[in-house]
Amino acid sequence: MSEYRLAFERPIYELEARLEKLERLAQTDPAAREELQQKRKELIDLIVQIYSNLKPWEVVEVARHPDRPKTSDYLQLTFDEFVELHGDKCFGDDRAIRTGWAKLDTFKVMVIGHEKGKNTKERLACNYGCAHPEGYRKAMHKMKLAAKFRLPIVCLIDTPGAYPGIGAEERGQAQVIAESMFLMSKLPTPIVCVVIGEGGSGGALAIGVGDRVAMLEHAYYSVISPEGCAGILWKDRQYKEEAARALKMTSKDLIQLGLIDDVIPEPLGGAHRDPFQMASRLKLYLRNTLKELTAIPIPELLEARYQKFRRMGVYLEGGEAVGMAAQAAASSSPGYSPAQHIADEGAAPNA
């Protein structure tokens, strides 16, 4: 574990430091043992209190934590076997996208996921999880391979966005993202997508069209990063917290809006504090979801996938809220207007 610290976690680390001292004293001091038990309970209560009331920007900070489990971690901890497949048969092999065959209990699956890297060398090689067109072409080629053998696909999303460089644009970045989304919309095999960290822009959407789309509790999924949104709307990145709030990018917002199907709870204090438990929870979710989806005939699965994305979102038509999430939002909170999801909760700052 690194020494990386989030600002809002400062009270937690202060209490943990106190616990370390008490553990040393407790070996010889009975009073210290009693205080140690009390402080342990206080620590749990403190973590629950802080992580139950995270602001949207704080969720972004947790999603970007350097110690947060990456795709490579889940490949080791969640899946029983993994045989990696490389290359797009066109230009090259993009390390920001990892693909390969894997086993999950009794299921054989194709895993496709963004990889950010764990140290500076790996992060540079992976472009910090920002894939080039060849990465998404590799993903599409492996998706077709999975469909050929009638095996489910599992997509692990963790990217700030697709790589925005000139070379990527010259090789058709926007086109390949659109092609990937179109392919996934009609691929005749079950698809499960999980946002495990950052779900940024078209880079996330490119492998985010599935029969089930889930998020980890403290991940985010958004059309743009908060910094990018603040730079466009208010010409200043310092308004990133206001942008994060306005974007409705957290799992709590997106499940209410009907843009995702499930939220996978994280361990106490976030996935970075207990990667093993997080991997176990992800494995349980994938196993149950694959069991459900593989029992559905392919024609019904494709029709349900199509209707799912056609109904998605909330919008106003003739002054009336329309969309799949409108009815759910209205029924979950008496007197609540779904139009409130469309308007920004906070007033725009005077930039």
Side-chain angles (χ1 to χ4, degrees):
M1 298 291 287
S2 70
E3 295 299 320
Y4 188 84
R5 299 290 185 262
L6 298 174
F8 66 86
E9 285 188 314
R10 182 176 179 179
I12 297 175
Y13 289 113
E14 290 177 350
L15 189 52
E16 285 179 336
R18 174 62 180 163
L19 279 170
E20 290 182 6
K21 294 180 180 179
L22 287 173
E23 286 174 354
R24 291 192 294 268
L25 294 174
Q27 299 176 2
T28 57
D29 188 350
R33 283 195 292 268
E34 294 181 7
E35 186 180 356
L36 179 62
Q37 294 178 354
Q38 180 183 356
K39 292 297 181 183
R40 283 174 175 167
K41 184 178 183 302
E42 288 181 12
L43 177 61
I44 294 175
D45 293 339
L46 180 62
I47 295 176
V48 170
Q49 178 186 358
I50 290 176
Y51 272 83
S52 298
N53 299 281
L54 290 180
K55 299 176 182 177
W57 174 249
E58 292 172 340
V59 172
V60 174
E61 291 184 304
V62 176
R64 294 174 176 174
H65 198 290
D67 295 331
R68 191 172 179 84
K70 310 291 190 297
T71 293
S72 56
D73 296 307
Y74 291 119
L75 290 175
Q76 293 181 6
L77 301 175
T78 300
F79 298 93
D80 302 318
E81 298 177 20
F82 178 68
V83 178
E84 188 162 7
L85 302 175
H86 298 274
D88 69 337
K89 296 185 179 293
C90 180
F91 184 84
D93 183 44
D94 188 352
R95 293 182 61 183
I97 294 280
R98 297 193 67 179
T99 63
W101 302 115
K103 285 189 68 178
L104 183 74
D105 290 343
T106 59
F107 295 101
K108 296 178 182 179
V109 300
M110 172 68 73
V111 179
I112 298 169
H114 295 101
E115 181 58 52
K116 286 184 172 181
K118 295 184 178 181
N119 53 50
T120 302
K121 183 178 179 180
E122 290 180 1
R123 289 167 187 157
L124 289 173
C126 298
N127 292 306
Y128 293 83
C130 299
H132 287 77
E134 48 270 24
Y136 294 116
R137 290 194 179 96
K138 173 171 69 172
M140 285 192 289
H141 183 269
K142 305 320 182 249
M143 289 178 193
K144 293 176 183 177
L145 196 61
K148 177 181 178 180
F149 292 106
R150 300 180 181 179
L151 296 179
I153 298 170
V154 175
C155 295
L156 302 179
I157 300 169
D158 187 16
T159 178
Y163 191 74
I166 294 176
E169 295 297 334
E170 289 175 342
R171 297 194 297 276
Q173 185 73 286
Q175 177 71 22
V176 77
I177 289 174
E179 289 176 355
S180 182
M181 294 172 64
F182 179 70
L183 172 67
M184 295 183 78
S185 70
K186 60 186 181 67
L187 206 63
T189 192
I191 305 174
V192 183
C193 305
V194 183
V195 183
I196 60 174
E198 293 188 87
S201 192
L205 284 174
I207 60 170
V209 180
D211 302 293
R212 295 291 182 274
V213 179
M215 288 176 64
L216 302 195
E217 183 180 3
H218 303 309
Y220 81 84
Y221 198 15
S222 173
V223 68
I224 192 172
S225 68
E227 296 93 333
C229 178
I232 292 172
L233 294 182
W234 300 305
K235 314 301 181 187
D236 196 330
R237 292 164 61 95
Q238 70 173 330
Y239 295 113
K240 58 189 179 184
E241 295 186 26
E242 288 83 350
R245 185 171 61 251
L247 284 167
K248 309 292 186 189
M249 62 192 343
T250 67
S251 60
K252 292 180 181 179
D253 292 320
L254 296 177
I255 192 70
Q256 190 173 25
L257 286 166
L259 300 181
I260 60 172
D261 302 295
D262 302 290
V263 176
I264 305 174
E266 296 192 20
L268 187 65
H272 59 280
R273 284 181 169 265
D274 195 342
F276 292 95
Q277 187 178 357
M278 187 67 255
S280 178
R281 294 184 182 187
L282 177 61
K283 184 173 185 176
L284 178 63
Y285 173 79
L286 292 175
R287 183 173 57 204
N288 293 339
T289 305
L290 289 172
K291 183 178 180 181
E292 175 191 348
L293 293 177
T294 52
I296 302 174
I298 293 299
E300 295 181 18
L301 192 72
L302 291 174
E303 178 62 22
R305 188 187 305 166
Y306 173 79
Q307 294 298 337
K308 163 187 165 67
F309 284 93
R310 285 287 293 174
R311 296 192 306 266
M312 189 170 286
V314 178
Y315 57 95
L316 295 179
E317 186 172 293
E320 181 181 353
V322 181
M324 179 176 62
Q327 292 80 9
S331 61
S332 64
S333 179
Y336 173 79
S337 170
Q340 290 176 311
H341 272 304
I342 303 171
D344 181 9
E345 285 183 345
N350 296 318

